[in-house]
Amino acid sequence: MTTPAHVAIIMDGNGRWAKARGLPRLAGHRAGVEALRKTVRAAGELGITWLTVYAFSSENWSRPKTEISDLMGLLKIFIRRDLAELHHSGVKIRIIGDRDGLQPDIRALLTEAETLTRNNRALTLVIAFNYGARDEIVRAARKLAEAIAKGEITADAISSETVGAHLDTAGIPDPDLVIRTSGEQRLSNFLLWQAAYSEFVFQPCFWPDFGRTELEDALQAFAARERRYGGVDATKQGVAS
Ligand code: FPP
């Protein structure tokens, strides 16, 4: 079975999971963190080398203040409680998103997690926090425009590679597989550039119910896909797509 090197997940449905049980939304997010722990473990065991999770989008600021502070609190708890264990298991942590918009204590924690784990080699866990793909592309465009203004590069030197190298995901391979839970079928401003040739698997379960079995199901669906990257399958006479 072909295992994707990089799996990216839109962890959706915490709120509906909680509502279905008559619980506050925070309980859903807490259960979501538990599902994240299980998924990181399973991903490592299944031979995935990059796992990216969408934990807080740049659009999530429009949620009620209490929910925003709950999500910030959960990130802090996740890093404080799990960092030692993740490090011990050889997990490398990378954060993507706009850090400038985050509180100094959170920024410091994110830097601590990245610094401590930077030489680890088992699995890279990429946490998208205060992340929005359009914002990421805009920030990359600004950096390139500044480099041109300073005479460091010329406009015609800009290529897919130079754009990619200015995104938050510089150095991270594109996701092979994007999973979204909760039955919604859209990308919601997640990895718009990087997912150009990704396979998509949409699963009906809410994120807190996601675990090893659901991950294995998604990997199986991925293995059955035929990836052509706009070309044709060498073994068949196909039409480019
Ligand atoms: C979507 O559920 C989930 C989020 C907006 C946040 C994802 C967060 C976690 C899994 C927990 C936090 C993890 C870290 C590391 C901070 P939703 O609230 O949109 O659910 P709904 O669509 O059912 O309302």
Side-chain angles (χ1 to χ4, degrees):
M1 186 169 108
T2 323
T3 302
H6 184 175
V7 176
I9 308 184
I10 303 175
M11 310 182 286
D12 195 11
N14 295 346
R16 279 164 284 167
W17 181 92
K19 194 172 176 203
R21 286 161 180 75
L23 296 169
R25 292 177 62 81
L26 174 58
H29 293 314
R30 280 200 183 121
V33 175
E34 200 42 56
L36 176 59
R37 287 192 180 105
K38 281 190 279 179
T39 303
V40 173
R41 228 174 287 134
E45 287 163 10
L46 293 167
I48 291 163
T49 43
W50 300 83
L51 178 70
T52 299
V53 293
Y54 205 5
F56 190 88
S57 84
S58 43
E59 287 70 40
N60 285 156
W61 294 106
S62 63
R63 295 191 176 207
K65 274 203 176 93
T66 49
E67 183 165 351
I68 293 171
S69 102
D70 286 343
L71 286 166
M72 297 289 157
L74 283 176
L75 176 74
K76 286 196 231 175
I77 292 170
F78 177 71
I79 296 202
R80 284 201 190 112
R81 275 205 205 140
D82 293 48
L83 184 58
E85 196 194 320
L86 290 168
H87 182 44
H88 186 71
S89 319
V91 174
K92 178 174 176 167
I93 296 176
R94 271 272 305 257
I95 313 292
I96 57 170
D98 183 9
R99 291 186 207 203
D100 291 347
L102 298 172
Q103 285 171 356
D105 60 335
I106 295 195
R107 285 210 299 262
L109 264 182
L110 299 181
T111 305
E112 183 193 332
E114 284 181 320
T115 309
L116 178 70
T117 62
R118 77 180 152 211
N119 295 320
N120 290 346
R121 290 281 169 268
L123 161 86
T124 301
L125 172 64
V126 183
I127 304 177
F129 204 84
N130 196 20
Y131 175 86
R134 287 185 173 179
D135 171 66
E136 177 192 35
I137 293 168
V138 167
R139 285 186 285 108
R142 276 194 202 128
K143 283 184 235 163
L144 286 164
E146 278 162 18
I148 293 174
K150 286 186 196 151
E152 292 165 0
I153 54 162
T154 57
D156 59 5
I158 296 179
S159 61
S160 291
E161 285 72 31
T162 44
V163 173
H166 286 79
L167 296 171
D168 297 348
T169 50
I172 300 176
D174 288 342
D176 302 289
L177 168 65
V178 176
I179 299 171
R180 182 171 188 149
T181 56
S182 93
E184 307 290 352
Q185 303 194 355
R186 56 179 172 268
L187 209 39
S188 300
N189 206 13
F190 185 50
L191 303 177
L192 296 183
W193 174 277
Q194 300 84 344
Y197 286 103
S198 303
E199 295 296 326
F200 290 81
V201 169
F202 299 103
Q203 285 175 311
C205 72
F206 294 137
W207 173 250
D209 292 325
F210 190 91
R212 188 186 168 111
T213 309
E214 289 69 23
L215 182 58
E216 282 176 329
D217 289 349
L219 296 190
Q220 230 164 42
F222 173 84
R225 301 277 173 89
E226 180 194 299
R227 300 183 82 194
R228 297 203 296 270
Y229 302 96
V232 291
D233 183 339
T235 63
K236 291 176 201 152
Q237 286 197 324
V239 176
S241 63

